[in-house]
Amino acid sequence: MKNRRWSRILELCEKQSAVSVQQLVKELQISEATVRRDLQNMENQGLLVRFHGGARMIDAQRLEKTMTMKSLLNVEEKEKISRCGASLIEDGQIVFLDAGTTTYNLIDYIEAKNITVVTTGIPHLTRLSQRNIKTFALSGFVKPSTVAVTGKETVHQISNMNFDIALLGANGVHPQAGFTTPEEYEGEVKTMAIHRAKKSYILADKSKFNKLCFVRFANLNEATVIIDEKIDDFDYRLLDYIVAP
């Protein structure tokens, strides 16, 4: 229940920039005391910023969302995309699995046998080992906000590997800029993984479309996008895509 409330609070803040306590009381059908307690706890975890009478998102231009924050946004959409992505992995394949919440959720739906997974996600390592999936841990620096391994050493390691399939996240899918991410080294990791894979997929819910971030890591024609549903203001003729069932 708490996670569903927090997810809805973040979605409203992201959509409107800010939200009032009274609006949340009405929207969530809970007491004002519960709303205020939720907002206090969410601020303590760095998920939002409170002000008198409400709360707002942390400045998205200044600070990339943390993995905790991302895990509470667009939960149902990510679930659909994760299931679809996992279904594309076949027995015996070597898989590159990007860091991020959608790829993390995907692990629970993997049914393929005798696969080897290479991942940049630190939380992914634990979940993969719990499922007894053979996993290769990359070395490099850990980015605190996304809990991802990144850096020149990471890129170099991936440059010597070959993958049957790469499953990646993106912060933005833009008709001119392509697939984008906020951080340079993470972008280089994604680019290298795509170049070393026979087939690459970008897992992106509708909130990522028409968004533009600092670093382009691939053109739109370099990967197939798995989406939850189409939005009206994007030309999908630019993409090779799969709509998750």
Side-chain angles (χ1 to χ4, degrees):
M1 290 294 293
K2 183 190 77 172
N3 282 350
R4 285 200 292 270
R5 292 199 310 271
W6 286 22
S7 177
R8 185 58 181 153
I9 289 169
L10 285 177
E11 287 171 1
L12 288 169
C13 284
E14 187 169 54
K15 183 178 180 180
Q16 305 172 188
S17 298
V19 66
S20 70
V21 170
Q22 294 307 315
Q23 181 184 356
L24 292 174
V25 168
K26 182 177 180 180
E27 174 74 25
L28 301 174
Q29 295 293 297
I30 56 176
S31 68
E32 183 174 326
T34 300
V35 169
R36 293 187 182 279
R37 184 168 59 250
D38 280 347
L39 295 181
Q40 176 68 68
N41 290 333
M42 292 173 76
E43 184 178 53
N44 292 344
Q45 293 193 30
L47 300 176
L48 48 72
V49 176
R50 290 187 304 149
F51 59 83
H52 182 69
R56 62 174 174 80
M57 291 292 286
I58 294 171
D59 185 353
Q61 298 300 318
R62 181 178 59 84
L63 184 67
E64 184 181 0
K65 293 183 180 71
T66 64
M67 188 166 176
T68 301
M69 186 186 298
K70 290 177 181 177
S71 71
L72 293 168
L73 290 167
N74 307 305
V75 176
E76 293 182 5
E77 293 90 338
K78 290 177 180 177
E79 193 84 3
K80 290 171 61 177
I81 293 169
S82 296
R83 287 178 183 272
C84 183
S87 72
L88 299 172
I89 302 172
E90 299 178 1
D91 292 351
Q93 285 190 327
I94 299 173
V95 181
F96 178 84
L97 193 62
D98 199 8
T101 54
T102 309
T103 53
Y104 179 82
N105 293 341
L106 179 152
I107 296 169
D108 285 342
Y109 302 115
I110 294 175
E111 296 182 0
K113 308 298 183 185
N114 300 316
I115 65 172
T116 299
V117 176
V118 177
T119 184
T120 53
I122 298 299
H124 300 48
L125 294 171
T126 301
R127 189 71 194 108
L128 287 160
S129 65
Q130 289 171 342
R131 294 213 55 207
N132 295 315
I133 294 173
K134 184 180 178 182
T135 306
F136 184 91
L138 293 162
S139 59
F141 294 100
V142 177
K143 185 179 177 184
S145 61
T146 56
V147 204
V149 177
T150 187
K152 290 184 179 179
E153 186 176 353
T154 315
V155 176
H156 178 70
Q157 282 184 297
I158 295 172
S159 71
N160 293 313
M161 297 176 175
N162 295 302
F163 309 110
D164 294 296
I165 182 173
L167 297 153
L168 307 105
N171 294 72
V173 181
H174 192 274
Q176 283 79 46
F179 301 113
T180 62
T181 190
E183 203 271 330
E184 185 176 4
Y185 277 132
E186 280 194 324
E188 290 184 15
V189 167
K190 294 173 190 286
T191 299
M192 185 59 68
I194 290 172
H195 288 171
R196 304 304 300 175
K198 294 178 183 176
K199 183 66 178 177
S200 298
Y201 296 89
I202 304 293
L203 285 61
D205 64 74
K206 59 180 176 289
S207 70
K208 307 296 177 60
F209 282 79
N210 293 318
K211 296 292 178 61
L212 181 64
C213 296
F214 179 56
V215 177
R216 177 174 67 182
F217 64 86
N219 296 320
L220 293 182
N221 63 358
E222 293 184 86
T224 299
V225 187
I226 305 175
I227 62 176
D228 56 299
E229 64 177 359
K230 291 184 177 181
I231 58 174
D232 293 335
D233 56 347
F234 190 90
D235 185 359
Y236 286 88
R237 292 174 296 181
L238 300 170
L239 291 176
D240 180 22
Y241 65 91
I242 300 170
V243 180

mmCIF file of all heavy atoms in Angstrom, residues 46-94:
data_model
loop_
_atom_site.group_PDB
_atom_site.id
_atom_site.type_symbol
_atom_site.label_atom_id
_atom_site.label_comp_id
_atom_site.label_asym_id
_atom_site.label_seq_id
_atom_site.Cartn_x
_atom_site.Cartn_y
_atom_site.Cartn_z
ATOM 1 N N GLY A 46 15.159 11.400 -0.225
ATOM 2 C CA GLY A 46 15.611 12.140 -1.399
ATOM 3 C C GLY A 46 14.735 11.971 -2.623
ATOM 4 O O GLY A 46 15.195 12.163 -3.751
ATOM 5 N N LEU A 47 13.454 11.642 -2.412
ATOM 6 C CA LEU A 47 12.562 11.399 -3.535
ATOM 7 C C LEU A 47 11.843 12.662 -4.004
ATOM 8 O O LEU A 47 11.415 12.748 -5.155
ATOM 9 C CB LEU A 47 11.527 10.335 -3.171
ATOM 10 C CG LEU A 47 12.085 8.965 -2.785
ATOM 11 C CD1 LEU A 47 10.970 8.035 -2.348
ATOM 12 C CD2 LEU A 47 12.870 8.363 -3.948
ATOM 13 N N LEU A 48 11.665 13.635 -3.115
ATOM 14 C CA LEU A 48 10.989 14.881 -3.453
ATOM 15 C C LEU A 48 11.401 15.947 -2.448
ATOM 16 O O LEU A 48 12.150 15.679 -1.505
ATOM 17 C CB LEU A 48 9.464 14.692 -3.494
ATOM 18 C CG LEU A 48 8.759 13.970 -2.323
ATOM 19 C CD1 LEU A 48 8.722 14.818 -1.055
ATOM 20 C CD2 LEU A 48 7.333 13.602 -2.707
ATOM 21 N N VAL A 49 10.883 17.159 -2.653
ATOM 22 C CA VAL A 49 11.154 18.275 -1.744
ATOM 23 C C VAL A 49 9.821 18.817 -1.244
ATOM 24 O O VAL A 49 8.930 19.118 -2.051
ATOM 25 C CB VAL A 49 11.930 19.398 -2.464
ATOM 26 C CG1 VAL A 49 12.120 20.590 -1.535
ATOM 27 C CG2 VAL A 49 13.273 18.876 -2.947
ATOM 28 N N ARG A 50 9.675 18.916 0.065
ATOM 29 C CA ARG A 50 8.440 19.463 0.631
ATOM 30 C C ARG A 50 8.491 20.991 0.670
ATOM 31 O O ARG A 50 9.540 21.596 0.747
ATOM 32 C CB ARG A 50 8.232 18.943 2.054
ATOM 33 C CG ARG A 50 7.897 17.476 2.155
ATOM 34 C CD ARG A 50 7.556 17.107 3.591
ATOM 35 N NE ARG A 50 8.654 17.464 4.481
ATOM 36 C CZ ARG A 50 8.500 17.836 5.753
ATOM 37 N NH1 ARG A 50 7.298 17.931 6.275
ATOM 38 N NH2 ARG A 50 9.557 18.117 6.507
ATOM 39 N N PHE A 51 7.317 21.611 0.591
ATOM 40 C CA PHE A 51 7.161 23.031 0.888
ATOM 41 C C PHE A 51 5.873 23.172 1.689
ATOM 42 O O PHE A 51 5.132 22.204 1.871
ATOM 43 C CB PHE A 51 7.137 23.879 -0.388
ATOM 44 C CG PHE A 51 6.030 23.512 -1.353
ATOM 45 C CD1 PHE A 51 4.741 23.993 -1.202
ATOM 46 C CD2 PHE A 51 6.301 22.676 -2.440
ATOM 47 C CE1 PHE A 51 3.729 23.663 -2.089
ATOM 48 C CE2 PHE A 51 5.300 22.338 -3.337
ATOM 49 C CZ PHE A 51 4.008 22.834 -3.159
ATOM 50 N N HIS A 52 5.604 24.347 2.201
ATOM 51 C CA HIS A 52 4.422 24.536 3.042
ATOM 52 C C HIS A 52 3.145 24.209 2.259
ATOM 53 O O HIS A 52 2.812 24.881 1.287
ATOM 54 C CB HIS A 52 4.348 25.980 3.559
ATOM 55 C CG HIS A 52 3.187 26.224 4.476
ATOM 56 N ND1 HIS A 52 3.118 25.672 5.738
ATOM 57 C CD2 HIS A 52 2.047 26.933 4.307
ATOM 58 C CE1 HIS A 52 1.980 26.043 6.309
ATOM 59 N NE2 HIS A 52 1.319 26.816 5.457
ATOM 60 N N GLY A 53 2.466 23.139 2.658
ATOM 61 C CA GLY A 53 1.212 22.768 2.017
ATOM 62 C C GLY A 53 1.327 21.781 0.883
ATOM 63 O O GLY A 53 0.325 21.461 0.243
ATOM 64 N N GLY A 54 2.561 21.284 0.591
ATOM 65 C CA GLY A 54 2.668 20.344 -0.522
ATOM 66 C C GLY A 54 4.090 19.857 -0.750
ATOM 67 O O GLY A 54 4.930 19.901 0.146
ATOM 68 N N ALA A 55 4.345 19.394 -1.964
ATOM 69 C CA ALA A 55 5.667 18.864 -2.324
ATOM 70 C C ALA A 55 5.890 19.018 -3.823
ATOM 71 O O ALA A 55 4.935 19.166 -4.591
ATOM 72 C CB ALA A 55 5.779 17.402 -1.917
ATOM 73 N N ARG A 56 7.138 18.955 -4.226
ATOM 74 C CA ARG A 56 7.490 19.040 -5.644
ATOM 75 C C ARG A 56 8.623 18.073 -5.950
ATOM 76 O O ARG A 56 9.312 17.581 -5.055
ATOM 77 C CB ARG A 56 7.910 20.459 -6.024
ATOM 78 C CG ARG A 56 9.150 20.943 -5.291
ATOM 79 C CD ARG A 56 9.605 22.307 -5.806
ATOM 80 N NE ARG A 56 10.702 22.842 -5.027
ATOM 81 C CZ ARG A 56 11.982 22.490 -5.171
ATOM 82 N NH1 ARG A 56 12.307 21.583 -6.080
ATOM 83 N NH2 ARG A 56 12.928 23.022 -4.426
ATOM 84 N N MET A 57 8.815 17.805 -7.240
ATOM 85 C CA MET A 57 9.913 16.951 -7.663
ATOM 86 C C MET A 57 11.239 17.653 -7.435
ATOM 87 O O MET A 57 11.328 18.886 -7.497
ATOM 88 C CB MET A 57 9.778 16.603 -9.151
ATOM 89 C CG MET A 57 8.612 15.688 -9.473
ATOM 90 S SD MET A 57 8.815 14.019 -8.831
ATOM 91 C CE MET A 57 10.042 13.355 -9.949
ATOM 92 N N ILE A 58 12.288 16.868 -7.221
ATOM 93 C CA ILE A 58 13.644 17.403 -7.243
ATOM 94 C C ILE A 58 13.947 17.840 -8.667
ATOM 95 O O ILE A 58 13.492 17.222 -9.631
ATOM 96 C CB ILE A 58 14.635 16.324 -6.774
ATOM 97 C CG1 ILE A 58 14.378 15.998 -5.300
ATOM 98 C CG2 ILE A 58 16.069 16.751 -6.986
ATOM 99 C CD1 ILE A 58 15.149 14.818 -4.793
ATOM 100 N N ASP A 59 14.692 18.899 -8.808
ATOM 101 C CA ASP A 59 15.002 19.463 -10.122
ATOM 102 C C ASP A 59 15.596 18.401 -11.034
ATOM 103 O O ASP A 59 16.728 17.955 -10.861
ATOM 104 C CB ASP A 59 15.994 20.618 -9.955
ATOM 105 C CG ASP A 59 16.272 21.344 -11.257
ATOM 106 O OD1 ASP A 59 15.809 20.871 -12.305
ATOM 107 O OD2 ASP A 59 16.951 22.377 -11.216
ATOM 108 N N ALA A 60 14.824 17.985 -12.036
ATOM 109 C CA ALA A 60 15.248 16.900 -12.926
ATOM 110 C C ALA A 60 16.442 17.296 -13.789
ATOM 111 O O ALA A 60 17.217 16.459 -14.221
ATOM 112 C CB ALA A 60 14.081 16.467 -13.818
ATOM 113 N N GLN A 61 16.608 18.603 -14.054
ATOM 114 C CA GLN A 61 17.748 19.044 -14.858
ATOM 115 C C GLN A 61 19.047 18.993 -14.050
ATOM 116 O O GLN A 61 20.127 18.828 -14.588
ATOM 117 C CB GLN A 61 17.513 20.484 -15.365
ATOM 118 C CG GLN A 61 16.312 20.619 -16.274
ATOM 119 C CD GLN A 61 16.431 19.767 -17.519
ATOM 120 O OE1 GLN A 61 17.496 19.708 -18.106
ATOM 121 N NE2 GLN A 61 15.368 19.108 -17.902
ATOM 122 N N ARG A 62 18.917 19.158 -12.732
ATOM 123 C CA ARG A 62 20.104 19.205 -11.880
ATOM 124 C C ARG A 62 20.503 17.828 -11.383
ATOM 125 O O ARG A 62 21.682 17.539 -11.190
ATOM 126 C CB ARG A 62 19.812 20.123 -10.676
ATOM 127 C CG ARG A 62 20.981 20.282 -9.718
ATOM 128 C CD ARG A 62 20.620 21.244 -8.596
ATOM 129 N NE ARG A 62 19.472 20.787 -7.851
ATOM 130 C CZ ARG A 62 19.548 19.907 -6.857
ATOM 131 N NH1 ARG A 62 20.700 19.387 -6.516
ATOM 132 N NH2 ARG A 62 18.452 19.547 -6.206
ATOM 133 N N LEU A 63 19.546 16.958 -11.165
ATOM 134 C CA LEU A 63 19.835 15.688 -10.509
ATOM 135 C C LEU A 63 19.068 14.566 -11.183
ATOM 136 O O LEU A 63 17.844 14.626 -11.312
ATOM 137 C CB LEU A 63 19.410 15.784 -9.024
ATOM 138 C CG LEU A 63 19.708 14.580 -8.144
ATOM 139 C CD1 LEU A 63 21.218 14.417 -7.973
ATOM 140 C CD2 LEU A 63 19.045 14.741 -6.787
ATOM 141 N N GLU A 64 19.783 13.540 -11.616
ATOM 142 C CA GLU A 64 19.129 12.379 -12.199
ATOM 143 C C GLU A 64 18.360 11.628 -11.117
ATOM 144 O O GLU A 64 18.798 11.532 -9.968
ATOM 145 C CB GLU A 64 20.167 11.446 -12.817
ATOM 146 C CG GLU A 64 19.549 10.260 -13.537
ATOM 147 C CD GLU A 64 20.578 9.320 -14.131
ATOM 148 O OE1 GLU A 64 21.772 9.592 -13.993
ATOM 149 O OE2 GLU A 64 20.163 8.314 -14.732
ATOM 150 N N LYS A 65 17.215 11.081 -11.478
ATOM 151 C CA LYS A 65 16.417 10.329 -10.516
ATOM 152 C C LYS A 65 17.208 9.131 -10.005
ATOM 153 O O LYS A 65 17.918 8.475 -10.751
ATOM 154 C CB LYS A 65 15.119 9.838 -11.164
ATOM 155 C CG LYS A 65 14.142 10.934 -11.549
ATOM 156 C CD LYS A 65 12.875 10.319 -12.105
ATOM 157 C CE LYS A 65 11.858 11.391 -12.498
ATOM 158 N NZ LYS A 65 12.292 12.120 -13.703
ATOM 159 N N THR A 66 17.059 8.846 -8.710
ATOM 160 C CA THR A 66 17.714 7.676 -8.136
ATOM 161 C C THR A 66 16.973 6.413 -8.554
ATOM 162 O O THR A 66 15.831 6.459 -9.018
ATOM 163 C CB THR A 66 17.724 7.751 -6.606
ATOM 164 O OG1 THR A 66 16.358 7.707 -6.131
ATOM 165 C CG2 THR A 66 18.384 9.032 -6.117
ATOM 166 N N MET A 67 17.622 5.261 -8.342
ATOM 167 C CA MET A 67 16.981 3.996 -8.684
ATOM 168 C C MET A 67 15.722 3.794 -7.839
ATOM 169 O O MET A 67 14.728 3.270 -8.321
ATOM 170 C CB MET A 67 17.955 2.841 -8.476
ATOM 171 C CG MET A 67 17.404 1.511 -8.993
ATOM 172 S SD MET A 67 18.652 0.251 -9.128
ATOM 173 C CE MET A 67 17.646 -1.156 -9.634
ATOM 174 N N THR A 68 15.764 4.221 -6.567
ATOM 175 C CA THR A 68 14.583 4.101 -5.704
ATOM 176 C C THR A 68 13.418 4.891 -6.268
ATOM 177 O O THR A 68 12.288 4.417 -6.340
ATOM 178 C CB THR A 68 14.895 4.596 -4.290
ATOM 179 O OG1 THR A 68 15.966 3.824 -3.746
ATOM 180 C CG2 THR A 68 13.672 4.458 -3.380
ATOM 181 N N MET A 69 13.707 6.128 -6.700
ATOM 182 C CA MET A 69 12.657 6.966 -7.274
ATOM 183 C C MET A 69 12.102 6.348 -8.552
ATOM 184 O O MET A 69 10.892 6.277 -8.755
ATOM 185 C CB MET A 69 13.201 8.368 -7.552
ATOM 186 C CG MET A 69 12.142 9.357 -8.013
ATOM 187 S SD MET A 69 12.861 10.957 -8.489
ATOM 188 C CE MET A 69 13.578 11.479 -6.936
ATOM 189 N N LYS A 70 12.995 5.880 -9.416
ATOM 190 C CA LYS A 70 12.559 5.289 -10.673
ATOM 191 C C LYS A 70 11.703 4.045 -10.450
ATOM 192 O O LYS A 70 10.772 3.769 -11.212
ATOM 193 C CB LYS A 70 13.775 4.932 -11.535
ATOM 194 C CG LYS A 70 14.514 6.140 -12.088
ATOM 195 C CD LYS A 70 15.748 5.702 -12.862
ATOM 196 C CE LYS A 70 16.510 6.882 -13.408
ATOM 197 N NZ LYS A 70 17.750 6.466 -14.105
ATOM 198 N N SER A 71 12.022 3.280 -9.395
ATOM 199 C CA SER A 71 11.281 2.048 -9.139
ATOM 200 C C SER A 71 9.834 2.314 -8.743
ATOM 201 O O SER A 71 8.982 1.420 -8.827
ATOM 202 C CB SER A 71 11.974 1.229 -8.037
ATOM 203 O OG SER A 71 11.829 1.852 -6.773
ATOM 204 N N LEU A 72 9.538 3.549 -8.324
ATOM 205 C CA LEU A 72 8.185 3.904 -7.898
ATOM 206 C C LEU A 72 7.381 4.582 -9.003
ATOM 207 O O LEU A 72 6.199 4.870 -8.816
ATOM 208 C CB LEU A 72 8.251 4.830 -6.673
ATOM 209 C CG LEU A 72 8.800 4.195 -5.396
ATOM 210 C CD1 LEU A 72 9.092 5.253 -4.356
ATOM 211 C CD2 LEU A 72 7.829 3.156 -4.847
ATOM 212 N N LEU A 73 8.010 4.826 -10.145
ATOM 213 C CA LEU A 73 7.333 5.492 -11.256
ATOM 214 C C LEU A 73 6.961 4.503 -12.354
ATOM 215 O O LEU A 73 7.739 3.603 -12.677
ATOM 216 C CB LEU A 73 8.226 6.589 -11.843
ATOM 217 C CG LEU A 73 8.464 7.827 -10.974
ATOM 218 C CD1 LEU A 73 9.604 8.652 -11.536
ATOM 219 C CD2 LEU A 73 7.203 8.666 -10.860
ATOM 220 N N ASN A 74 5.748 4.673 -12.907
ATOM 221 C CA ASN A 74 5.295 3.874 -14.060
ATOM 222 C C ASN A 74 5.458 2.367 -13.829
ATOM 223 O O ASN A 74 5.970 1.634 -14.679
ATOM 224 C CB ASN A 74 6.079 4.298 -15.313
ATOM 225 C CG ASN A 74 6.018 5.790 -15.560
ATOM 226 O OD1 ASN A 74 4.949 6.372 -15.656
ATOM 227 N ND2 ASN A 74 7.168 6.426 -15.645
ATOM 228 N N VAL A 75 5.015 1.922 -12.674
ATOM 229 C CA VAL A 75 5.247 0.544 -12.228
ATOM 230 C C VAL A 75 4.581 -0.469 -13.161
ATOM 231 O O VAL A 75 5.214 -1.447 -13.588
ATOM 232 C CB VAL A 75 4.741 0.349 -10.785
ATOM 233 C CG1 VAL A 75 4.896 -1.105 -10.356
ATOM 234 C CG2 VAL A 75 5.510 1.263 -9.836
ATOM 235 N N GLU A 76 3.320 -0.273 -13.482
ATOM 236 C CA GLU A 76 2.599 -1.236 -14.324
ATOM 237 C C GLU A 76 3.186 -1.304 -15.730
ATOM 238 O O GLU A 76 3.293 -2.382 -16.326
ATOM 239 C CB GLU A 76 1.116 -0.871 -14.380
ATOM 240 C CG GLU A 76 0.398 -1.040 -13.050
ATOM 241 C CD GLU A 76 -1.079 -0.719 -13.153
ATOM 242 O OE1 GLU A 76 -1.552 -0.466 -14.282
ATOM 243 O OE2 GLU A 76 -1.756 -0.721 -12.112
ATOM 244 N N GLU A 77 3.568 -0.147 -16.272
ATOM 245 C CA GLU A 77 4.146 -0.105 -17.613
ATOM 246 C C GLU A 77 5.472 -0.872 -17.650
ATOM 247 O O GLU A 77 5.737 -1.654 -18.573
ATOM 248 C CB GLU A 77 4.373 1.349 -18.040
ATOM 249 C CG GLU A 77 3.098 2.151 -18.250
ATOM 250 C CD GLU A 77 2.630 2.853 -16.985
ATOM 251 O OE1 GLU A 77 3.019 2.407 -15.876
ATOM 252 O OE2 GLU A 77 1.870 3.833 -17.098
ATOM 253 N N LYS A 78 6.301 -0.651 -16.638
ATOM 254 C CA LYS A 78 7.591 -1.340 -16.578
ATOM 255 C C LYS A 78 7.410 -2.847 -16.429
ATOM 256 O O LYS A 78 8.208 -3.625 -16.969
ATOM 257 C CB LYS A 78 8.416 -0.792 -15.415
ATOM 258 C CG LYS A 78 8.914 0.627 -15.634
ATOM 259 C CD LYS A 78 9.654 1.123 -14.405
ATOM 260 C CE LYS A 78 10.156 2.542 -14.604
ATOM 261 N NZ LYS A 78 10.830 3.077 -13.402
ATOM 262 N N GLU A 79 6.385 -3.237 -15.710
ATOM 263 C CA GLU A 79 6.116 -4.670 -15.522
ATOM 264 C C GLU A 79 5.843 -5.342 -16.866
ATOM 265 O O GLU A 79 6.387 -6.407 -17.173
ATOM 266 C CB GLU A 79 4.911 -4.842 -14.597
ATOM 267 C CG GLU A 79 4.715 -6.239 -14.067
ATOM 268 C CD GLU A 79 5.547 -6.527 -12.845
ATOM 269 O OE1 GLU A 79 6.256 -5.628 -12.353
ATOM 270 O OE2 GLU A 79 5.513 -7.670 -12.390
ATOM 271 N N LYS A 80 5.016 -4.731 -17.689
ATOM 272 C CA LYS A 80 4.711 -5.272 -19.017
ATOM 273 C C LYS A 80 5.954 -5.362 -19.881
ATOM 274 O O LYS A 80 6.214 -6.375 -20.539
ATOM 275 C CB LYS A 80 3.658 -4.394 -19.703
ATOM 276 C CG LYS A 80 2.270 -4.459 -19.115
ATOM 277 C CD LYS A 80 1.364 -3.404 -19.721
ATOM 278 C CE LYS A 80 1.198 -3.579 -21.224
ATOM 279 N NZ LYS A 80 0.255 -2.596 -21.795
ATOM 280 N N ILE A 81 6.731 -4.296 -19.874
ATOM 281 C CA ILE A 81 7.935 -4.250 -20.705
ATOM 282 C C ILE A 81 8.947 -5.286 -20.233
ATOM 283 O O ILE A 81 9.608 -5.953 -21.042
ATOM 284 C CB ILE A 81 8.530 -2.824 -20.686
ATOM 285 C CG1 ILE A 81 7.577 -1.847 -21.397
ATOM 286 C CG2 ILE A 81 9.900 -2.792 -21.334
ATOM 287 C CD1 ILE A 81 7.925 -0.389 -21.201
ATOM 288 N N SER A 82 9.087 -5.443 -18.917
ATOM 289 C CA SER A 82 10.035 -6.414 -18.362
ATOM 290 C C SER A 82 9.690 -7.835 -18.787
ATOM 291 O O SER A 82 10.571 -8.617 -19.180
ATOM 292 C CB SER A 82 10.049 -6.321 -16.828
ATOM 293 O OG SER A 82 10.522 -5.075 -16.393
ATOM 294 N N ARG A 83 8.416 -8.189 -18.697
ATOM 295 C CA ARG A 83 7.985 -9.531 -19.098
ATOM 296 C C ARG A 83 8.305 -9.783 -20.571
ATOM 297 O O ARG A 83 8.791 -10.857 -20.948
ATOM 298 C CB ARG A 83 6.478 -9.685 -18.874
ATOM 299 C CG ARG A 83 6.056 -9.804 -17.419
ATOM 300 C CD ARG A 83 4.543 -9.909 -17.331
ATOM 301 N NE ARG A 83 4.068 -9.952 -15.972
ATOM 302 C CZ ARG A 83 3.924 -11.072 -15.262
ATOM 303 N NH1 ARG A 83 4.214 -12.241 -15.819
ATOM 304 N NH2 ARG A 83 3.473 -11.036 -14.021
ATOM 305 N N CYS A 84 8.035 -8.792 -21.398
ATOM 306 C CA CYS A 84 8.274 -8.931 -22.831
ATOM 307 C C CYS A 84 9.768 -9.083 -23.110
ATOM 308 O O CYS A 84 10.190 -9.938 -23.900
ATOM 309 C CB CYS A 84 7.708 -7.720 -23.575
ATOM 310 S SG CYS A 84 7.871 -7.804 -25.362
ATOM 311 N N GLY A 85 10.580 -8.271 -22.462
ATOM 312 C CA GLY A 85 12.016 -8.347 -22.656
ATOM 313 C C GLY A 85 12.580 -9.697 -22.258
ATOM 314 O O GLY A 85 13.407 -10.277 -22.979
ATOM 315 N N ALA A 86 12.133 -10.222 -21.125
ATOM 316 C CA ALA A 86 12.615 -11.529 -20.654
ATOM 317 C C ALA A 86 12.246 -12.639 -21.628
ATOM 318 O O ALA A 86 13.009 -13.600 -21.802
ATOM 319 C CB ALA A 86 12.043 -11.819 -19.270
ATOM 320 N N SER A 87 11.094 -12.519 -22.275
ATOM 321 C CA SER A 87 10.636 -13.567 -23.203
ATOM 322 C C SER A 87 11.506 -13.665 -24.453
ATOM 323 O O SER A 87 11.449 -14.662 -25.177
ATOM 324 C CB SER A 87 9.174 -13.308 -23.603
ATOM 325 O OG SER A 87 9.080 -12.188 -24.483
ATOM 326 N N LEU A 88 12.305 -12.633 -24.730
ATOM 327 C CA LEU A 88 13.155 -12.622 -25.922
ATOM 328 C C LEU A 88 14.475 -13.367 -25.708
ATOM 329 O O LEU A 88 15.191 -13.648 -26.663
ATOM 330 C CB LEU A 88 13.444 -11.173 -26.334
ATOM 331 C CG LEU A 88 12.221 -10.333 -26.700
ATOM 332 C CD1 LEU A 88 12.631 -8.882 -26.891
ATOM 333 C CD2 LEU A 88 11.549 -10.866 -27.959
ATOM 334 N N ILE A 89 14.805 -13.672 -24.463
ATOM 335 C CA ILE A 89 16.045 -14.389 -24.160
ATOM 336 C C ILE A 89 15.833 -15.872 -24.413
ATOM 337 O O ILE A 89 14.867 -16.466 -23.935
ATOM 338 C CB ILE A 89 16.467 -14.156 -22.698
ATOM 339 C CG1 ILE A 89 16.653 -12.660 -22.417
ATOM 340 C CG2 ILE A 89 17.750 -14.921 -22.387
ATOM 341 C CD1 ILE A 89 16.883 -12.325 -20.955
ATOM 342 N N GLU A 90 16.753 -16.479 -25.143
ATOM 343 C CA GLU A 90 16.640 -17.892 -25.506
ATOM 344 C C GLU A 90 17.683 -18.723 -24.771
ATOM 345 O O GLU A 90 18.704 -18.210 -24.301
ATOM 346 C CB GLU A 90 16.808 -18.056 -27.018
ATOM 347 C CG GLU A 90 15.756 -17.311 -27.827
ATOM 348 C CD GLU A 90 15.967 -17.454 -29.326
ATOM 349 O OE1 GLU A 90 16.933 -18.161 -29.726
ATOM 350 O OE2 GLU A 90 15.183 -16.865 -30.086
ATOM 351 N N ASP A 91 17.437 -20.016 -24.694
ATOM 352 C CA ASP A 91 18.350 -20.940 -24.018
ATOM 353 C C ASP A 91 19.769 -20.818 -24.570
ATOM 354 O O ASP A 91 19.969 -20.721 -25.791
ATOM 355 C CB ASP A 91 17.893 -22.385 -24.198
ATOM 356 C CG ASP A 91 16.576 -22.688 -23.469
ATOM 357 O OD1 ASP A 91 16.129 -21.826 -22.694
ATOM 358 O OD2 ASP A 91 16.020 -23.783 -23.679
ATOM 359 N N GLY A 92 20.745 -20.828 -23.653
ATOM 360 C CA GLY A 92 22.147 -20.854 -24.041
ATOM 361 C C GLY A 92 22.730 -19.532 -24.491
ATOM 362 O O GLY A 92 23.902 -19.478 -24.883
ATOM 363 N N GLN A 93 21.976 -18.448 -24.440
ATOM 364 C CA GLN A 93 22.476 -17.173 -24.952
ATOM 365 C C GLN A 93 23.385 -16.463 -23.945
ATOM 366 O O GLN A 93 23.324 -16.690 -22.731
ATOM 367 C CB GLN A 93 21.313 -16.250 -25.312
ATOM 368 C CG GLN A 93 20.596 -16.630 -26.591
ATOM 369 C CD GLN A 93 19.617 -15.565 -27.052
ATOM 370 O OE1 GLN A 93 19.001 -14.862 -26.268
ATOM 371 N NE2 GLN A 93 19.465 -15.443 -28.373
ATOM 372 N N ILE A 94 24.229 -15.576 -24.493
ATOM 373 C CA ILE A 94 25.016 -14.643 -23.679
ATOM 374 C C ILE A 94 24.294 -13.300 -23.738
ATOM 375 O O ILE A 94 24.037 -12.768 -24.821
ATOM 376 C CB ILE A 94 26.454 -14.508 -24.204
ATOM 377 C CG1 ILE A 94 27.154 -15.872 -24.161
ATOM 378 C CG2 ILE A 94 27.234 -13.489 -23.375
ATOM 379 C CD1 ILE A 94 28.514 -15.878 -24.809
#
